[in-house]
Amino acid sequence: MDIRFAQGSDAASLARLGTDSFVAKFGHLYRPEDLANFLGESHSEEKVAKEIADPALRVVLAEDDGQLLGFCKLVMHCGWPEHARGAKVIELKQLYTAPEATGQGIGARLMDWALAEAAAFGADEIQLSVYSDNPGAQKFYARYGFGKVADIHFMVGEKRDEELLFSALLAG
């Protein structure tokens, strides 16, 4: 498995994987029109292309023999400053794997990259949000030293999802 920075030419496949992963895990929670609007705003090819080009983000992908297996996005600034404990805080925005490839160590490889990138950037804390009813993801993040620091929410159309803000302090 190779981990590499995304390029503009990856936008369509990253948008498709983001959509497929979100729908597979959470699609059943939302009204079809709310889900469609959310996906159009958050996982469109245009949005992903802008993220890849944004110097304040790091977008990497995991692939094997040219097949996209997952991706990770780091936002190089604080997402929730009111809950920050560090001086240089960044956000892990998304860590997604292809639905059919879950459990193959892809998330671990992407998380290892994210932690190394955060250290190279000089970050002393990483924040992320995780759905409150996603114990598998919560256990995964806990293995890397993340813990709950606040209750937050995430809107998809009219539906308010209860989320947990997780954070990990990084050794400096």
Side-chain angles (χ1 to χ4, degrees), residues 2-100:
D2 297 313
I3 305 291
R4 68 170 174 84
F5 282 100
Q7 302 170 3
S9 60
D10 296 314
S13 57
L14 286 169
R16 190 168 36 258
L17 178 56
T19 295
D20 292 349
S21 295
F22 190 88
V23 169
K25 188 72 176 177
F26 305 113
H28 66 283
L29 298 172
Y30 309 108
R31 296 181 322 170
E33 59 273 19
D34 287 342
L35 180 61
N37 288 335
F38 170 77
L39 294 172
E41 293 169 6
S42 298
H43 293 285
S44 70
E45 184 176 343
E46 295 78 20
K47 168 94 186 260
V48 173
K50 286 180 185 174
E51 291 173 333
I52 292 169
D54 186 342
L57 273 90
R58 308 282 192 274
V59 182
V60 297
L61 51 84
E63 60 185 7
D64 189 24
D65 288 330
Q67 179 184 358
L68 181 60
L69 300 174
F71 66 88
C72 177
K73 298 176 184 175
L74 275 182
V75 180
M76 308 315 280
H77 56 80
C78 186
W80 295 272
E82 66 276 19
H83 300 293
R85 299 174 295 163
K88 192 170 186 180
V89 184
I90 64 174
E91 178 187 355
L92 177 62
K93 188 71 171 172
Q94 295 171 341
L95 194 159
Y96 285 10
T97 59
E100 69 279 1

Side-chain angles (χ1 to χ4, degrees), residues 109-149:
R109 288 283 306 275
L110 290 167
M111 181 59 83
D112 290 343
W113 171 85
L115 293 171
E117 187 71 12
F121 184 69
D124 58 1
E125 182 180 6
I126 301 178
Q127 298 176 327
L128 61 88
S129 71
V130 61
Y131 182 49
S132 62
D133 196 23
N134 190 350
Q138 293 170 36
K139 287 179 192 174
F140 173 81
Y141 294 127
R143 288 197 311 263
Y144 288 92
F146 287 83
K148 178 185 169 187
V149 294

